[in-house]
Amino acid sequence: MQPTLTPFIIYKSSAGSGKTYTLTMEYLKLALRQPGAFRQILAVTFTNKATTEMKERILKELTRLTREVNPQEKMDAEILSFLQVDAVQLKALAKSTLTSLLHDYGSFSISTIDSFFQRVIRAFAREIDLQARFDVEMDQEGVLSRLVDRLLVRVMEDEHLHRWLVSYAIDRIREGKTWDIKSAIGNLGRELFQESFKTHKLEIREFLKERENLDGLKQYLQRQKSNIAQQAGEIKTKSNAIRERHGLDWTDFKGGTRTFSKYFDLLGDPREPLPKLTAAQLTPKDEVVDWVTKSSKKKEQVEEAFREGLGELWGQLLSLYPPYKTIEAIRKNFYVYGVFRQLLEALEELKEDENIMLISDANDFLKSITANNDAPFIYEKVGNRFKHFLIDEFQDTSGFQWASFRPLLVNALAQGNVNLLVGDVKQSIYRWRGGELRLLLETVESELGHFGIDVKPLDTNFRSLPKVVNFNNTLFSLLPKQLSAVLQDSHGVSNTDILESAYKEVTQKIYAKKEALDFHGKVKLEFLDAGDEEQSMSELILDRIPEMVIQLQEMGYRPRDIAFLVRKNQEGQQVADTLLSYGLSNPNSPHSFDVLSEEALLIRKAEKVKCLVAAMKYLKDGNPSHQQSLWLHYAQVMGKEITHRVFDKENYPDFISQRIAEFENKKLHWLKLPLVEMVNELADWFSFHDQGKEKAYLAAFKEAVMDFSSKFRADLTGFLKWWEEKQDKLTVRIPEGHDAIRILTIHKSKGLQFKVVLMPFLDWKIVDHSKGTVVWTPFTLEEEQLSSVVPINMGPDLMDSLFEPVYQEELIMAYLDTINMAYVAFTRAEEVFWGLSPWKDTSKHSMGNLGINILKVLETESLNGEEMSLSEFLDEEKKVFEYGEWPAIKNREMGVLLPPRLRWSQQSWQKKLKVKTSSLSFDDQVEGRVEKLWFGQLVHSILERARNEHEVKVKLEELYFEGVFQEPEKNRIESQISKLFSLPVFANWFSTEAKILTEQGIMLPDGSQKRPDRVVIYRDHAEVVDFKTGLEHRSHQGQVKDYMQLVKTLLKLPTEGFICYLDTITIKEVT
Amino acid sequence: MDRFLRQTAASLLATHKGGLQELTVVLPNRRAGVFFVKELSSLVNEPTWMPRVITIEDLFYDLGSQVPADKLTLIFELHQVYVQLIKDPEPLDRFYFWGELMLKDFNDIDQFRVDASKLYSRLAEIKAFEKDWSFLTPEQVTLIQTFWSSFSQRETEHQERFLRFWDKLSLVYERFKARLVSIGMAYSGMIYRKVVDDLDGLKWDGGKIAFVGFNAFTVCEEALVKFFIREHHALLFWDIDSYYVEDVQQEAGFFIRDYMKDKVLGPTFQHPIPERIGTKRTKIKTYTTPLRINQANIVGKILEGNKETEALEDTVVILPNENLLFPLLGHLPDQVSAVNVTMGYPIKNTPVYTFLEAVLELQRFRKAEDKNVVYYHKAVIDVLGSVYMQANQKRHCEEALSYITSTNVIYVSETYLTKFGGLFALVFENITGVAGLLERMGKIMNALYEQASENILESTYLGQCYKQLNRFRELLLPQQGKEALPLDFVIRLFKQIYRELKLPFEGEPLLGLQIMGVLESRNLDFRRVIICDMNEGSFPPSNSLNSLVPYNLRKAFGLPVQEQNDAIYAYTFYRLLHQSEEVHLIYTTAGEQGRVGEKSRYIIQVKEEMGISEEEKAEEVVFIPVDLGETKAIRIAKDGAILQVLDQYLGDGSKQSDRALSPSAINTYLDCRLRFYYKYIAKVEEEKTVSEDVDPAVFGNLAHAALEFLYVGFMERKKRRVVHAEDFSGLKDYVYPAIEMAIRQYYFMEEDKELKLGGHLAIARDVLQKYLLQILEIDRQTAPFEIVSLEKSKRYNANFEIFPSGNAKSVLLGGIIDRVDLHRGSIRLIDYKSGGDKKVFPGVRQLFDRDIKNRNKAAMQTLFYGLLYQYSHPENELPLKPAIFNLKELFNPNFSPYLEKKESRKDGVLVEDYSDYSLEVEEVLREVLEELFDTKVPFDQTDDLERCKWCAYKELCGR
Ligand code: SF4
């Protein structure tokens, strides 16, 4: 008996906690119950790469279990006890499961969420009104830009749209922005693909359908604004009246030249009725001390003026801000919002025209499918029935994805089947892509709790050394508290529980095997102080970097053990440049400064590729600048010096002048080659295949050309356009074991681990409003009876507005994002974590970035002794935090990488192969000129294959269906044939009386074959027939005589021979 | 090695001593036939009749005396039936792919002899099973029930949609077949089924028959084969191995195991089943590489190891994915002297075809504009860029392209384009309807053919294209009569059909290295087998069973499902191992479009199950080191040639320089020395494109021109230079015409033509109007003023002394000042700006300091104007007041156009007179120019990458 168990398991994992191991184990538990059980399990991973890894891992463990079972191993022990079998039985089970899996591999379902969704959608294509065939479009930016173009084309027809956009443009210049609305539309237009918009799509569409609604809202905004302007104007008048009455200037009030009170004068401007005030200014000034400086000469007058109502007026002024901020927040996106209806229409059109489904629509479709149908029907349509779902990286699941999945999951749970989610809220860093960590944190448990949920923490860290684990345990217990305090203090946000609840279970256990090692790991954080020096902070940081790398290598770390983690690619590039130039200026250094940044992996970075692209551009349009570019890059590849002569047509250096004439000569030749061959021949002509570096880049470029050619119209213009758009995404891949320092963004580092992690830029801003986060927010105007959902840009301006709660929520999540990013980064380290951050005085400085908050945590002494006290390790003098010792120096060997065994040299295929030139030459076909030769050949090919008259007709049809000729020619051929059949001799050859051999030649002992067109065998004699086109020729006779001779010997019958000339309809007997 | 076909040939020869003329040999495909004949020929020692060698398809079509019609025709016919039976049927273009699916299903139904009326019925209730369903096994019944029980009591919307369609399919099937019969057409399954249904009456006079090398039969094929066994003692030759036949887990033996148990087929097997895989030691090696294209390099390397003595035809390279063909052919080593390729040359990749497609696309982007046909510029440019247009009308292409870019036409008219004649006339002349389109395509192909005459390859492609066009025309034109086909649809169809078109290679099929697709390798044996793309999705290919019949129903009714498909591919894989001595399996870790490649299940199976050594299990990882070459910083030293160019800016008293350095040249030099070099010394041209967007530079140009028209017009009308406040109400009426004039001038539009603007330009025009009106408003407030000069009407120059390396030289400086006017006793030097330029600057020196990030270029420029003006008018004693009218601040109520010098933490000072700054300006400018003329300072790249972002030369610099 197998034990019953809670059907629903949620694994809450942490960094390095053996998530894949656990998933594999759980998968095997379910799969090993019966040989075919795996068919009903679907494991869902987040990326394609994870899919492959997961499959490999399962296969590996399964294979292992067929050979050895080790009850000491956790996995084996759990499986044994779960299945209630012994080791021998388990081996047998593993064997049979492995076999059935390998031979029904298609049912081995490990897939990304997207590809599973797409499968379902394809199965329902007809029911949800999709085409039977459609392409899934991944490139949303491309769609967006085509979409905006379409919108602008509509302007030519749609007068209202035209006027709307013009007023928008003018509105923008009035506000001192560029008039160009295109990018603004594009920016907000991106929302079309977001779930946050789609959730409200129906309401919004409904609202925008009526032009009055939009006009109503517009008028409301204008009215409100002019109301406010008017009131502000009155305050201005009144305040000035009071001031003047007392003979004062505003500078007489508190603050002097910088007095807040001078803002009274800025009120009531219709463009900006209320000035921007700082937070300090935006407070009530109800006390006389707010207005007057003690030492003021006009103290009395000022006090008088205050009493006469200035304080009150200030109060009135403040009360104008909340409504003002509210309407300004709406106004900001109002014009683009106004064209969302047209954008949606244009989007539908575009999808229809291009026959595409946007990848972002997959979730919508799936949601409608699973909401609409019971699970069994879905499975029937898809052709797979799943009982068990294992979902990985659940913290990154979006609301729509969850909504789509839930019905299937509920169905499986209701039948008592085991289902499993794995995730870590702390590593949720994909909120910007729709990831909704609350699902894992609370939603799932509250929604599906009634099935009974077994929440299991994975709380041992198998990745990092003890000190690293300890440090992270402490830091990430304290950091959420610290940041939550900052949120409360400086933003007045109260409900910050989520920060702490997400990190409730952050403390991990140390893996015993790591504990047993000599080296226990190290964490070092340096807080750099720029002091009064000229040097900027980033220079200070960058200067430090080579030293760090050197120090690590001295301790025996290989370059590939070291990774720099950064938030932005640009920072990564700085690090790369620093190391590169350090390496160049220290050529004799025993250390390696080889780095691989994400940027350096771009295919377009290679000079060979640049040269080829320039050459292709030059071939395309002959523009001399491309010619200059191509030779410049050629010079770079060849390592030549770049001088003026490289650009000087009259006076090219030898390495160019020797080649340029040939290049110019070959232009036409290259242009007439298919793209793939063009690139090949060019690269070959430049000798790029055989010599120099960058072969990986060259190969990747060629592969890109090949991909393009197979997917699109393979022309040069199109390719270059495509390249323009794609070149910043196409990269080469780093071979396993490549010995270079890695530089990567935190996002890219997810799921990876490194011996040493360096983070030189730890001090990022926690909330970055430059990203322009948009939140779709319900908004109701009771008086106007208008209500809709409007796009609001998140920013501090929303404080005090109607939208403040939304903003605060966004702040909380932004804070959580930052902790999560830090968590992911810090936990990548196996042995050493080393970070740099600017030193700041935590008592004075604002707490808006991560570095200072970490410093603050480090400074705090442990209060209750629960946590380790980090401050012990902080040297306030040196401004360095150091926990743990460096490892003993040792030499770390690296496996020798053999040079690849590849053939590089290249040659044109045409040397070895020719395309079959059709006997049906073109001349013969055009304009109905069916020339004799061709015509005859057609008749020939029909006759030679047909045994009887009926078959002649069939063959004729066949050729016709192939498109060899058209109706009129068909008729002509038919009449020609029937003329032939009117000759009795001819007709006899097709009679059913005799035995007829067509296409059946005679084999000769030398391996050759003779193939007379026709051998007609009668009882007493045989006839050999050969059909000929064109003119009679003496050689024909000889050929047929040969045939006759052979046939005669073979059949031992008297044999006659005939040549039938098809064009002239004459038959010659051969004697 | 004892090749299967050779064995078979020998055995047939042995049993047919008298010759094979009475024998028909049926093989799975033509290719196997060719090899079979070769084997036979090599075995005879006297002249011998060949047998008749055909494929099983041929046999069916022969027996049925019919060939199938092509897919397109069939789908059209199907649609005819469909519209009569379905409510709200889709039009043909939306139907097409659904039709394709239906046709495939119908074909399967017939091939597998399924009762369509039963398949396509609702079987929600068990009752329905009672009568007539006895042919189903209980398992089949269960499958059917499972499917139908998934329907809810009350049907959901999707279920209802499903059923609405489902209920009609049986009728569609019947009527469609009836219709085909009545017009004498058929699809292949239909022929098969007819042959098998009429087996009783079948007369066979073809003599003895042998079926060679089959693995999986459809129901019809099986019936026919059995018929021949029973009635005509057909011989069967199986190409199998006990490795997968005996092991029931091996899907490769799926069909064979059934056949062995069959009463009729069973006895045709010869026992014992050969046992080669797993016993004979085949050497297996697996390679993995990150890029697909590098598989070609690996194969090249493997083949390099080929010994001269070895017969090339003993090696096969299997390409599951034909994309790899050309990379592979390119990397073949020299010892591979002959190649035989079964795949064709894809026409779609040839420039000839891409040109044809561009011409077609043109038609999708055309529209009628008052009686005139116009084409979208991008499509036109695509066509004009083609080598075929260029080859014989190069000059015309250039003219047309420059017309399009300079006038920025969004839609180009037919009248304009066709006037060039030649190919232009053919390509751009208006076409009516589908017939017109197809006829035109024919003519274009013809014209291309005349051009290509000496290029055999090209004329061959064209011949093939034309052949296809004929057929297409034949098919579409009658259809067109019945239902107007949308042009878009025809174009899409055209593209689709042409994309599949292949041109066969010439070559002796039996000689040389063999390169083929997976399925073509059936029945052939090779000593060395190299398989590329051993990835899931390629070999075996991804699940492609697309059907309107849900899985369980297909299974219940015996229609093929994925299992069968898998079995067929597994067989083709293992079959290759029968006799090979050396097998190389290559897979890639990168899939298409940046996806991840997954290794084929066969690799895993082989490693797990074939008992190969650990050494053989190890995969060879073939990577290419990622070694970016060094891009050297570009520093162009000033050599003689450069100095000559620079000298053109110099005058030496005797000779006047003919070129002047403008403020923008100096700004360029300050931004980046190399950029200055590119632009002014090497004179690298910038690319011109048609842009539907009005970028800031264009907008600025239009604004300048319009303002100039406006005030020049004013002066001409009023015959005076002074403008008064009262003049403005009148001036406003001229704003709009001035803008139109500016646009016409900028885009070279003829005056009498009506102005039609694209969306973005239309908006820009209206914005421009606001902008001008606002400038007028500001001018009104400051009026009166007297206009001294406007833009182009006057150039201001200055001969400026510098002393590079101690020698005195005189540089000519020059520039155009947007507007100079006299206002309240000052000369204002006005610059219009459309960007966000600022008027505040910290000091003169900082204006010329290249290291300052946000150097105020506008302030530098207007101060420079001061210098120019003063040099041009040494007599001037009035204050010179630089001013900037910048769009972004224009609407600010406190707008002031004047420069302000403001050091940090100090109060700003308005620049009232250039002369207060002239000494400093001249001094700093002199330093800059002396550096420019300093032979020792090279032209090098800026360190500030931000500046490269929008630099026109970033491609050259590779930044
Ligand atoms: S790309 Fe950068 S370095 Fe090159 S010319 Fe332009 S600004 Fe100068």
Side-chain angles (χ1 to χ4, degrees), chain B residues 672 674-675 678 941-942 947-948 951 953-954 957 959:
Chain B
C672 172
L674 188 64
R675 192 193 292 173
Y678 284 149
Q941 295 169 295
T942 175
R947 294 185 192 163
C948 302
C951 176
Y953 308 107
K954 67 167 184 249
C957 285
R959 290 246 169 134

Side-chain angles (χ1 to χ4, degrees), chain B residues 528-592:
Chain B
R528 185 199 281 124
V529 175
I530 303 170
I531 313 181
C532 296
D533 277 315
M534 280 299 291
N535 282 80
E536 282 293 304
S538 290
F539 195 15
S542 54
N543 184 344
S544 56
L545 264 185
N546 221 338
S547 168
L548 289 162
V549 183
Y551 175 85
N552 275 338
L553 292 184
R554 284 188 76 94
K555 205 169 147 116
F557 282 88
L559 291 170
V561 289
Q562 190 57 30
E563 278 116 294
Q564 277 88 333
N565 225 7
D566 281 352
I568 290 172
Y569 277 96
Y571 172 78
T572 49
F573 173 74
Y574 282 101
R575 220 209 50 75
L576 284 165
L577 307 186
H578 282 178
Q579 312 224 20
S580 49
E581 292 162 26
E582 209 183 301
V583 177
H584 303 263
L585 307 173
I586 310 173
Y587 76 95
T588 71
T589 47
E592 217 160 320

